[in-house]
Amino acid sequence: MVAFVASRNDAVPPLEGRALVFSSIDIMLERFHDLWDSLSKPGVEKKLIYTRLVGESRPDLPIKLSATIPIYPGIKGRNVFQTDLQIVSELVLEDLSRSRELEPQFLQECYCRTGALSQYALTSKAILEARYAALFNGESASPTTIPIADKRGTSPDLVAESLSRRPVLLIGDVGVGKTTFIRNLVKVEASTLFDKAVSLYLDLGTQATLVQDLRSFVVDEIQSQLLANFSIDIEERNFVRAVYDLELIRFSRSIFADLRESDPEEFKRQELKLLAEKVSKREDHLRHSLTHLARGRRQQVVIFIDNTDQRDEETQQQAFLIAQEIAEHWPAMVFVALRPETFHRSLKVGALTGYHPKAFTISPPRIDLVLQKRLTFGLKLTSGEIPIEALGHHTTIRTDKLDKILRFFLRSLETNDQLAECIDNISAGNVRVALDLVKGFFGSGHVNMEKIVNKVDRGGYTVPLHEFLRAVIFGDAIHYDPDRSPVANLFDVAFYDVREHFILSYLMSLLGSMSGPGVEEGFVETGRVYERLQSAGFTPEQIDAAVLRAHRHKLIETAARRIPTPGAGMPHALRCTTVGLYHIARLAKMFSYIDAMIVDTPIFDRGVREALRDTQDIRARLDRADIFRRYLDDCWVACGDPGVPFSWRSMSAELKDDIERIRRAIDRPRPGDLFR
């Protein structure tokens, strides 16, 4: 029996490494401990034979070009024009849209009512109106109350009663628009209802991060908002006496009734003692106070517990239980935001197993529509249609330049499908990320925006993809920094193995193409992925490192959003994201991407490594990119036939064409070309 390590990551060919040899049965018996320790199932699981034949140490990776750059990654400076533009774009696209004066108009014009979201908003409004009617027995119900399911004969009162005992869950990923859905519901869709309601908004994204008792935080925050937003002090004397009016009447008829005449002072002390005991029970007192508001003052109470999806799963489940208790026992309607995976898993094994919650799935809106509406609204600010000064924001920065930039960028989105595709895929449906990408482009030090404005003045300009990508890839740095950029380096390696330049591409290609048993909604069983990549010659350690890197850069996502942890349990299924697919389908074939990744990629060929230099000259960078492309071609030959649906050859050919196209454009510049 001859045992050796066939898949190595230390740059030693398998047949040139060491081997463990047992030349006969007698030798196996004589050296049984060696045989068992190395080749039994427990021995293989502990990788004892690998340690024995290869050792625990591994060769150092070649240094990256970035290690030779003294100021890496550096900070890209902005000129005065770019700095002003950054400030104004932040003000116009983000800050002013959140101002209280503009919020209703902003939501009316910028909220994207996809089919699902629009229906949900109308349903939520109907629920509120039906509950309002039922709560007050029709005495002061709105004449515009929308009956729910009247065609089936269902009473609004019945529906309201059933819904009043369970919270409404808003299910959606981070950044898809749950907060905007709430704002739109309050300010636009059901504004007339909320004008006479007590609406309380609890933000777990920015609040309660340091508290250990979430229940106490909810009670404290509700009490604080009642005072700050509605001037309702639930500990104020007259309010407390109004809340417990029936108890005071009962007290006046109790055994202490005789004290009213014989000892009025003692009667008052006992009465105060009763009220003090009531107020000291904070949760009960708050519940009674809200009941008084709902019935005594005829005010609907609505509580939103938002951004729980930004917290860990335990906090999300705790938030649901609090919401369930409030909805069932308090006179309030509760909305609570959860992640989809938390919701579905909790229905099976978590806090939701014993309940039947009402859930709305908030799907991400179309990013291109969001940007079009947001930019169009921004134009109303920059053009003066909505005066910024009237909103209390006084600024000496001129907005005329931003007005031109917004107009040409909006036109570019409409005419350049590649630009819209890039933003949509890099943001992965996250509206916040998409807006950050656009704002970053407007004020980027990597974009000569002043020259672009001049081109716009002379006859128009359309943003080319490479110009936008440069701002996205580099951000505020001079050189590509994998820790800060939303774009990943597909060609980075973790082990001394040239084939690893393609392991991320292998991984995502497999996830995007596998089908059949073990594949559900795009999720592929992790075991199948490991089997395919191991058959291509990669070790489990290499695959672990690739999965971790892909997950960190959001190229893949895991079932139940579990964080991959080698040795402590990996997620049972993986799925390629739009970010990952965009990397291998578009970015890897583009000079703009390759040019940035060169500084962050270890080069195993010393001759190639010495030929690569840090340079800002466009022609030198094109030559450098072509050298890097040919180097990857040689590495691809070393891979043989990996047996995965990915080929570098075709991508290399498209990359070569892109490099040559840019060379021709530099030699014969055309209007609109801005290569830097």
Side-chain angles (χ1 to χ4, degrees), residues 108 111 113-131 144-149 159 163 168 170 181-182 184-186 188-191 193-194 333 335 358 360 362:
Q108 189 74 42
Y111 187 68
R113 294 173 175 81
T114 60
L117 281 178
S118 178
Q119 179 60 43
Y120 290 162
L122 290 173
T123 304
S124 299
K125 179 180 178 181
I127 293 171
L128 287 172
E129 290 180 330
R131 280 207 66 237
T144 58
T145 296
I146 299 177
I148 301 178
V159 174
L163 287 172
V168 176
L170 304 178
F181 173 84
I182 293 172
N184 184 68
L185 177 67
V186 173
V188 179
E189 298 291 345
S191 58
L193 291 174
F194 281 97
M333 185 173 188
F335 290 80
K358 180 70 174 178
F360 292 160
I362 308 299

Side-chain angles (χ1 to χ4, degrees), residues 484-538:
R484 291 190 286 179
S485 177
V487 174
N489 181 6
L490 294 178
F491 307 109
D492 197 6
V493 301
F495 295 87
Y496 202 100
D497 185 349
V498 297
R499 299 172 304 164
E500 266 205 47
H501 286 311
F502 307 105
I503 191 170
L504 285 183
S505 300
Y506 287 165
L507 172 62
M508 290 182 290
S509 296
L510 280 174
L511 293 176
S513 63
M514 294 180 73
S515 59
V519 180
E520 184 176 352
E521 296 182 352
F523 280 102
V524 182
E525 289 182 356
T526 305
R528 291 186 60 188
V529 176
Y530 272 68
E531 288 175 5
R532 292 289 298 274
L533 290 177
Q534 283 185 262
S535 68
F538 295 106

